[in-house]
Amino acid sequence: MATVFDFVEGNEMPKAVDIANFMVYLMTDSYDDVTNMKLNKLLYYAQGHYLKKYGKPLFEEKILAWKHGPVIREVYEEYKRVEDKPINRYDTNRAKVMDSDIKAFILDIAGEYGKYTASALRNMTHKPKSPWAVTENNAEIKREIIKEYFDKNEKEIEPFMIEYTDDDFIGYRDNDGVLVLPEEWNDEAI
């Protein structure tokens, strides 16, 4: 089974549809609500945070100000056939242009914003004076406006971390706090 970082490394700037595909890959098992609308909003937040953190775009495609919020036309077109239903298909080959730093960044975005519904993300993008709100309908939301807004209004995202408890492991803790696994898990017993 492929893991998040098993994708082939590359040096090119990824396309928005490749990043979208990777997000679907990351989120399919944990979320059953990754629709076209949600995916486009996640990409908007990814672009905004990437501009804030690195001062350059994550992807080249334009973000447009559509009625229900920011949209990348190429991503919308890629997934419009599923209408408003969850997207659950992905192609692991499409992430070839993404290096591990970008994959980790996308994982952080998915961890931070994936918990929100498409409607909640839409409402978040519709705040007064947001890049979407100050852009004419169907026009491009300029990267400079996105960067300026994220610099002033969005906090840095924390790296995605999974917190474990003792209940997540087989075994027990000894008096020194060391995890002791069952005898059959001992490599030396084999």
Side-chain angles (χ1 to χ4, degrees):
M1 172 165 224
T3 64
V4 173
F5 297 99
D6 285 343
F7 291 94
V8 178
E9 297 278 327
N11 294 322
E12 298 175 30
M13 178 182 289
K15 299 215 174 289
V17 293
D18 296 328
I19 296 169
N21 178 75
F22 190 66
M23 280 189 171
V24 171
Y25 165 76
L26 288 174
M27 298 175 69
T28 298
D29 289 341
S30 300
Y31 301 96
D32 61 357
D33 68 339
V34 182
T35 60
N36 201 343
M37 181 191 289
K38 181 171 182 172
L39 195 53
N40 272 280
K41 304 314 168 260
L42 291 170
L43 288 167
Y44 163 77
Y45 278 102
Q47 183 79 301
H49 280 287
Y50 203 82
L51 287 165
K52 176 184 177 87
K53 186 172 185 170
Y54 298 106
K56 62 183 181 179
L58 176 60
F59 53 85
E60 284 296 326
E61 292 83 354
K62 295 176 183 177
I63 298 177
L64 305 174
W66 285 12
K67 178 180 179 181
H68 293 288
V71 172
I72 296 92
R73 183 182 306 278
E74 293 83 352
V75 173
Y76 172 80
E77 293 294 328
E78 178 78 12
Y79 295 105
K80 73 179 182 182
R81 69 186 177 284
V82 298
E83 299 172 343
D84 63 350
K85 305 210 177 9
I87 302 164
N88 56 17
R89 291 184 178 252
Y90 52 84
D91 178 359
T92 55
N93 291 319
R94 294 185 75 173
K96 290 180 180 176
V97 297
M98 288 186 280
D99 64 29
S100 58
D101 290 339
I102 290 177
K103 292 173 196 169
F105 179 82
I106 294 167
L107 179 62
D108 295 344
I109 294 295
E112 181 72 25
Y113 292 99
K115 60 190 169 201
Y116 298 109
T117 65
S119 298
L121 289 168
R122 179 194 59 215
N123 293 341
M124 291 163 56
T125 65
H126 283 52
K127 292 178 184 173
K129 299 183 183 178
S130 72
W132 175 86
V134 299
T135 302
E136 279 188 45
N137 192 35
N138 295 322
E140 177 185 359
I141 303 173
K142 300 292 184 188
R143 286 190 195 120
E144 300 79 27
I145 295 171
I146 296 171
K147 182 176 181 341
E148 182 180 328
Y149 181 83
F150 274 73
D151 284 344
K152 291 179 182 176
N153 299 291
E154 294 290 332
K155 65 178 179 60
E156 288 286 330
I157 56 171
E158 297 293 322
F160 181 72
M161 301 294 285
I162 299 173
E163 294 185 23
Y164 295 103
T165 66
D166 283 348
D167 294 337
D168 295 321
F169 298 95
I170 296 173
Y172 64 94
R173 299 258 178 212
D174 66 12
N175 292 337
D176 296 326
V178 175
L179 182 63
V180 178
L181 297 175
E183 184 67 31
E184 59 268 16
W185 283 55
N186 185 346
D187 289 338
E188 294 171 10
I190 296 176

